[in-house]
Amino acid sequence: MGRGGTGALPPAADCAGAAGPRAGGRAPRGSWAAAMLLSRCPSSSRARQCFHALKLIKRECLPSLHIARCVSTASVPRITTHYTIHPRDKDKRWEGVNMERFAEEADVVIVGAGPAGLSAAIRLKQLAAEHSKEIRVCLVEKASQIGAHTLSGACLEPRSLQELFPDWKERGAPLNTPVTEDKFGILTKKYRIPVPILPGLPMVNHGNYIVRLGHFVSWLGEQAEALGVEVYPGYAAAEVLFHEDGSVKGIATNDVGIQKDGAPKATFERGLELHAKVTVFAEGCHGHLAKQLYKKYNLREKCQPQSYGIGLKELWTIDEKKWKPGRVEHTVGWPLDRHTYGGSFLYHLNEGEPLVALGFVVGLDYQNPYLNPFREFQRWKHHPSVQPTLEGGTRIAYGARALNEGGFQSIPKLTFPGGLLIGCSPGLMNVPKIKGTHTAMKSGMLASEAIFSQLINENLQSKTIGLDVQEYEENLKKSWVWKELYAVRNIRPSCHSILGVYGGMIYTGIFYWILRGMEPWTLKHPGPDFAQLKPAKDCTPIEYPKPDGKISFDLLSSVALSGTNHEHDQPAHLTLKDDSIPVNRNLAVFDGPEQRFCPAGVYEYIPLETGEGSRLQINAQNCVHCKTCDIKDPSQNINWVVPEGGGGPAYNGM
Amino acid sequence: MAGLRVLVGVKRVIDYAVKVRVAAGGGGVQTQGVKHSLNPFCEIALEEGVRLRERGAAAEVVAVSVGTRVCQAIDDDCNQTGQLLAAMLDWPQGTFASRVEPEGEWVRVQREVDGGLETLRLRLPAVLTADLRLNEPRYATLPNIMKAKKKPLEVVAASEFLGGGSPPAPPRLRVLKLEEPPPRGGGQRVDDVPALLERLRASGCI
């Protein structure tokens, strides 16, 4: 449950308190948001008309007084209003507001209901039942329903599922498509060079299943609830709580009822504190709470910086004649150059209708600020080896998410007093295999086993109030997860040489296939992704073809298919540490790369209404929670925080 | 007035931000796995009921949902359920209510109509339907969700209400076909009025 989306259609302007004339009802030129409004209302249903009317009324009634109060002498219009940047204890509008929070006590709190979080929750309850113990496990998830924020290819290796539920088939786990065919190719502009997949290479998929991960996660959620896990979708963990001794005490869910400009609404209410002996952080790739924990506990001291990719995905129903259920296809090469890591996937699902899942990954260590991952994906679909499959088909879903590519070298310390990290949050993805679900699930299970043994240990002497479950990390290092990640550790970094991706393939063919990762060296990453971006003046803009509306599409109609939405009257959750940096640095030096790497059109540089120059407009409502901006902002000025729970994409089996 | 009992119908619908798709077979809309939410108008109606109770105007608020275990309806946007109910009950109706004020045996309802606002005074009992401007619903916060999970939820078989244990009558409507609307054609821009007239003449409109 959580807040319904009343009146959550995007308004025309999202810039709060801008100095200068800002007519309440006028849509800024070329505004994505206004066009979104139109593209979301193809039918003239009364509900949508009402929302539209109400939004205009609300905006028109508020602005003039508001602007008069907020006009400042600073030339930078205020963009960020979130309380993490502008604390409320110094804000006059919050004087006298009751900031008390209720608290609930649990044994274990888990943040994030993805494969890792759910596996951890399930394992805990399984152990509790085995030992006839009662433990309270609470799981919070920012999506409105389990699976709504899950996005992945995906080819699932059932290894961990088999351990968690040996009877997964009888329980109805949605693994309906065994892989029957595995194809790999290198694309040039016109041709496709097939590459044989020899047994022993990491991308062999024999024994695996093509799944719709969102549905799999949804099924895991049902299993968890049946076992007695308290699952709370629609509630985001917004804050980590600490004991006085510095150990983690739990989390607090998001406050609700804060206006766009940061002031409290009549419906303002504080979030709930969930206290636990151990808090498990399973936020997925580049979690926002994990970011804070890295700093606080210095968890990244001894590891390489994490490296990422952005994955964009679509679901298509295709012509039955072209449908080959069980086929897995991957390509590298065109349209990316050899220095830009990335490639495509195309999986034929077998769930009744002729459905394919396809997508494109671009490594976020790319150097050219003119690169637009969304448009690379759209133009890849026109390749002569891809387009025929999609011709006559219909696109039914779209989404995007960042993924980890750092591998073994980038795994941080996993435990700290009162908590631990599992899954894609610390980053356990096997990059050349392009699989992270099986390792995520196993890490969740190992964490729970270690936690449980501490919970039932009556003679436990803990130095801190929050338990430090170091056995989890020790056991993970002894498990098949560690061996697997170690073996493939050098493949991704081998793409950093002058031979680029082809160097990586050669390395894989020679060293991995023969030595299976036993080579004594460990290659490094060149540095964090955001630092790889070159200034715009040193790079060439890329000419992307216009979308044809049948195979390739524009950004807005794509974002509409993600079903994403947020309560519009809340502070933008894409916060800027310094409001002046986007124009003064990102735009000036890098030509505003956020306009291009955001797969949802959140960031727009639009011309100022008066005078010269531009301002950054943040269309927070479009956000699909991919985390790419927080990763790739060359100024590291964007800090993604969690919006009101329930907002974000509404993926269905992505 | 103490003793006023408020019944609020609630339904779960496909979330309005989700793009609706015709299900395979064309007999309905794809609902499997699709994000559903409480119908925003039902949320507003429920909020109004709760507010009436909070200020002592109502004694009890009962929320009811009718259907299968996963009670849901696809919102047809027909805008007739409240009116149909009032007709069947032979009760007065105040639809598109943006303000509700009980006054003893009456209720004063301000309605949003095309021409502006209309205020009616209805004799209770009456059927009201909510307009978006009726109120802004409060959030369902986690502590309240946790409390709600422990509250009783009564499930009653429909036959119990029909007397004699007879099952409900089968639906009298059958959906034959559902299709997507035709894609919008592109518009065309013209530079000035003469060009517009030229185009209109050329297409035979004038």
Side-chain angles (χ1 to χ4, degrees):
Chain A
M1 263 181 97
R3 189 70 174 85
T6 309
L9 283 178
D14 270 26
C15 181
R22 180 173 66 91
R26 180 168 70 97
R29 283 184 293 284
S31 162
W32 295 105
M36 269 240 72
L37 189 71
L38 295 168
S39 73
R40 278 228 196 92
C41 308
S43 74
S44 56
S45 74
R46 171 132 184 113
R48 294 185 182 97
Q49 283 172 338
C50 278
F51 284 138
H52 192 171
L54 194 63
K55 281 306 108 226
L56 290 175
I57 290 168
K58 271 185 158 180
R59 261 188 300 111
E60 268 157 332
C61 291
L62 290 177
S64 20
L65 297 171
H66 192 66
I67 290 173
R69 251 191 307 127
C70 291
V71 165
S72 65
T73 49
S75 56
V76 177
R78 182 190 253 217
I79 302 174
T80 302
T81 56
H82 201 274
Y83 63 81
T84 50
I85 306 286
H86 300 286
R88 290 173 289 194
D89 52 5
K90 302 190 180 64
D91 191 330
K92 278 210 166 51
R93 302 169 298 181
W94 288 87
E95 255 169 58
V97 175
N98 185 2
M99 299 298 270
E100 242 192 285
R101 281 191 290 224
F102 290 113
E104 287 273 333
E105 305 290 326
D107 291 293
V108 182
V109 163
I110 303 176
V111 177
L118 286 167
S119 299
I122 289 168
R123 192 77 194 105
L124 275 171
K125 283 294 193 176
Q126 284 176 341
L127 288 165
E130 270 170 49
H131 291 82
S132 309
K133 294 270 182 201
E134 286 277 332
I135 50 169
R136 186 178 184 197
V137 181
C138 290
L139 180 50
V140 288
E141 164 58 48
K142 63 175 163 59
S144 57
Q145 59 189 48
I146 308 282
H149 288 186
T150 301
L151 183 141
S152 183
C155 275
L156 180 67
E157 200 176 294
R159 183 172 193 174
S160 303
L161 176 62
Q162 191 68 41
E163 285 184 34
L164 188 65
F165 287 120
D167 58 344
W168 57 263
K169 229 191 198 119
E170 291 78 33
R171 283 174 180 261
L175 273 65
N176 303 316
T177 312
V179 175
T180 56
E181 235 189 309
D182 225 330
K183 292 165 103 71
F184 191 87
I186 302 176
L187 297 183
T188 62
K189 189 154 184 199
K190 292 208 191 86
Y191 302 104
R192 178 179 173 277
I193 307 163
V195 174
I197 302 180
L198 304 168
L201 284 176
M203 56 284 286
V204 170
N205 272 305
H206 183 71
N208 295 336
Y209 293 83
I210 306 172
V211 294
R212 293 175 71 171
L213 197 64
H215 287 167
F216 177 67
V217 165
S218 193
W219 173 84
L220 277 177
E222 288 166 16
Q223 308 309 307
E225 277 188 307
L227 285 168
V229 177
E230 287 175 57
V231 183
Y232 297 112
Y235 294 95
E239 196 184 319
V240 184
L241 305 168
F242 300 96
H243 289 291
E244 268 167 29
D245 64 5
S247 61
V248 171
K249 185 175 178 185
I251 53 102
T253 60
N254 57 281
D255 293 346
V256 291
I258 304 178
Q259 274 173 205
K260 208 159 189 17
D261 64 4
K265 293 187 205 173
T267 47
F268 172 74
E269 280 200 57
R270 285 286 262 163
L272 176 71
E273 293 193 6
L274 285 171
H275 300 165
K277 303 190 178 95
V278 184
T279 307
V280 177
F281 292 89
E283 295 172 285
C285 177
H286 204 78
H288 80 112
L289 294 180
K291 195 176 171 184
Q292 294 172 30
L293 293 166
Y294 292 146
K295 259 212 208 118
K296 176 155 174 102
Y297 295 107
N298 219 355
L299 302 172
R300 301 203 73 94
E301 208 173 5
K302 301 211 175 98
C303 68
Q304 295 258 294
Q306 183 60 267
S307 177
Y308 302 89
I310 176 176
L312 303 110
K313 178 180 173 182
E314 288 173 357
L315 281 177
W316 283 64
T317 50
I318 57 170
D319 185 344
E320 217 176 318
K321 295 189 226 58
K322 309 187 184 167
W323 182 43
K324 305 264 181 288
R327 174 186 279 188
V328 163
E329 289 183 48
H330 293 111
T331 71
V332 292
W334 189 87
L336 300 176
D337 63 34
R338 69 172 189 274
H339 295 295
T340 308
Y341 185 83
S344 76
F345 66 89
L346 203 159
Y347 304 151
H348 294 245
L349 286 153
N350 190 3
E351 303 201 345
E353 47 173 353
L355 201 62
V356 294
L358 63 147
F360 206 79
V361 174
V362 178
L364 286 177
D365 58 345
Y366 69 81
Q367 299 178 333
N368 186 345
Y370 293 107
L371 195 142
N372 186 324
F374 172 79
R375 300 192 81 170
E376 298 288 353
F377 173 36
Q378 296 303 317
R379 76 167 162 173
W380 163 78
K381 285 188 280 175
H382 283 287
H383 191 273
S385 70
V386 183
Q387 183 162 328
T389 307
L390 300 177
E391 265 158 5
T394 316
R395 183 177 73 152
I396 61 171
Y398 164 82
R401 182 73 171 91
L403 51 127
N404 298 298
E405 297 202 341
F408 185 83
Q409 294 87 322
S410 304
I411 302 175
K413 183 163 184 297
L414 298 169
T415 66
F416 40 90
L420 45 89
L421 300 163
I422 61 174
C424 277
S425 179
L428 301 174
M429 203 177 107
N430 180 328
V431 182
K433 250 195 203 177
I434 340 171
K435 290 182 179 56
T437 309
H438 62 311
T439 49
M441 290 176 71
K442 182 65 175 171
S443 70
M445 290 152 67
L446 286 171
S448 290
E449 284 157 14
I451 293 171
F452 188 75
S453 65
Q454 279 207 18
L455 287 179
I456 58 169
N457 183 353
E458 277 149 18
N459 301 322
L460 188 69
Q461 307 262 13
S462 177
K463 291 194 213 123
T464 50
I465 310 175
L467 302 178
D468 195 349
V469 190
Q470 291 180 4
E471 300 77 36
Y472 155 58
E473 188 159 358
E474 290 158 18
N475 293 344
L476 188 68
K477 290 186 172 160
K478 295 186 204 141
S479 73
W480 56 259
V481 172
W482 214 252
K483 285 193 198 57
E484 189 180 312
L485 295 177
Y486 184 77
V488 299
R489 73 196 180 287
N490 284 325
I491 296 180
R492 174 70 176 94
S494 67
C495 301
H496 296 311
S497 78
I498 195 146
L499 294 171
V501 181
Y502 304 112
M505 291 178 65
I506 295 169
Y507 189 96
T508 308
I510 299 174
F511 289 101
Y512 181 75
W513 195 56
I514 299 171
L515 291 177
R516 299 301 158 95
M518 289 191 291
E519 65 267 31
W521 56 83
T522 298
L523 300 176
K524 284 192 161 53
H525 298 300
D529 290 341
F530 69 83
Q532 306 308 312
L533 213 52
K534 289 196 178 133
K537 63 174 170 56
D538 299 335
C539 300
T540 341
I542 304 176
E543 273 277 327
Y544 288 104
K546 269 194 162 39
D548 72 347
K550 294 203 207 36
I551 304 287
S552 53
F553 300 90
D554 65 297
L555 188 59
L556 281 187
S557 61
S558 307
V559 180
L561 279 182
S562 70
T564 194
N565 202 3
H566 296 85
E567 160 61 51
H568 106 280
D569 194 9
Q570 63 174 308
H573 63 282
L574 297 324
T575 67
L576 305 172
K577 293 182 207 154
D578 181 338
D579 282 351
S580 65
I581 286 185
V583 171
N584 294 346
R585 183 160 192 265
N586 286 21
L587 187 61
V589 179
F590 302 97
D591 198 44
E594 54 269 64
Q595 306 172 87
R596 299 187 190 91
F597 60 56
C598 173
V602 168
Y603 300 97
E604 270 188 290
Y605 282 97
I606 62 183
L608 288 172
E609 285 86 355
T610 54
E612 300 238 327
S614 311
R615 63 175 180 86
L616 178 67
Q617 174 165 291
I618 298 181
N619 305 313
Q621 261 179 291
N622 294 8
C623 180
V624 292
H625 298 206
C626 76
K627 314 297 175 65
T628 301
C629 55
D630 195 301
I631 294 166
K632 190 59 174 171
D633 176 4
S635 312
Q636 289 291 279
N637 188 37
I638 299 173
N639 194 41
W640 190 99
V641 298
V642 87
E644 269 177 25
Y651 297 143
N652 179 7
M654 283 290 263
Chain B
M1 171 189 152
L4 191 67
R5 297 179 75 214
V6 180
L7 183 76
V8 183
V10 294
K11 64 181 180 179
R12 190 171 166 264
V13 295
I14 292 184
D15 187 87
Y16 74 88
V18 168
K19 194 156 200 293
V20 166
R21 220 181 29 116
V22 174
V29 167
Q30 174 82 286
T31 54
Q32 181 72 272
V34 173
K35 177 178 174 184
H36 283 66
S37 311
L38 181 58
N39 183 13
F41 294 94
C42 297
E43 208 180 342
I44 291 171
L46 200 55
E47 172 69 25
E48 195 62 23
V50 172
R51 286 190 190 186
L52 285 173
R53 193 169 153 239
E54 281 173 346
R55 58 178 203 255
E60 188 186 7
V61 180
V62 180
V64 66
S65 205
V66 180
T68 57
R69 190 187 70 85
V70 185
C71 283
Q72 62 183 62
I74 302 305
D75 193 352
D76 304 310
D77 262 355
C78 287
N79 188 12
Q80 62 191 12
T81 308
Q83 292 86 336
L84 286 172
L85 182 62
M88 287 180 190
L89 291 170
D90 199 25
W91 288 3
Q93 57 181 266
T95 55
F96 307 109
S98 60
R99 209 185 165 100
V100 171
E101 274 151 19
E103 288 175 356
E105 287 180 11
W106 303 79
V107 62
R108 192 177 287 268
V109 179
Q110 181 188 85
R111 304 179 58 227
E112 301 280 337
V113 296
D114 289 338
L117 297 171
E118 181 189 58
T119 306
L120 298 177
R121 197 173 64 138
L122 311 172
R123 193 184 285 281
L124 292 169
V127 174
L128 306 180
T129 70
D131 181 84
L132 280 186
R133 280 154 282 203
L134 180 55
N135 59 51
E136 185 162 347
R138 70 198 66 189
Y139 291 85
T141 55
L142 193 49
N144 288 333
I145 295 279
M146 287 181 171
K147 284 186 212 155
K149 283 199 173 184
K150 301 186 187 122
K151 294 279 183 187
L153 182 71
E154 223 186 307
V155 179
V156 185
S159 49
E160 273 189 50
F161 291 112
L162 293 167
S166 53
R172 293 187 292 177
L173 285 178
R174 184 162 56 99
V175 174
L176 296 176
K177 196 168 67 150
L178 204 65
E179 3 177 81
E180 300 250 344
R184 284 179 70 178
Q188 289 180 335
R189 296 184 81 102
V190 289
D191 290 322
D192 51 31
V193 175
L196 174 64
L197 292 174
E198 169 80 45
R199 282 286 181 82
L200 290 173
R201 274 189 209 109
S203 65
C205 292
I206 51 171

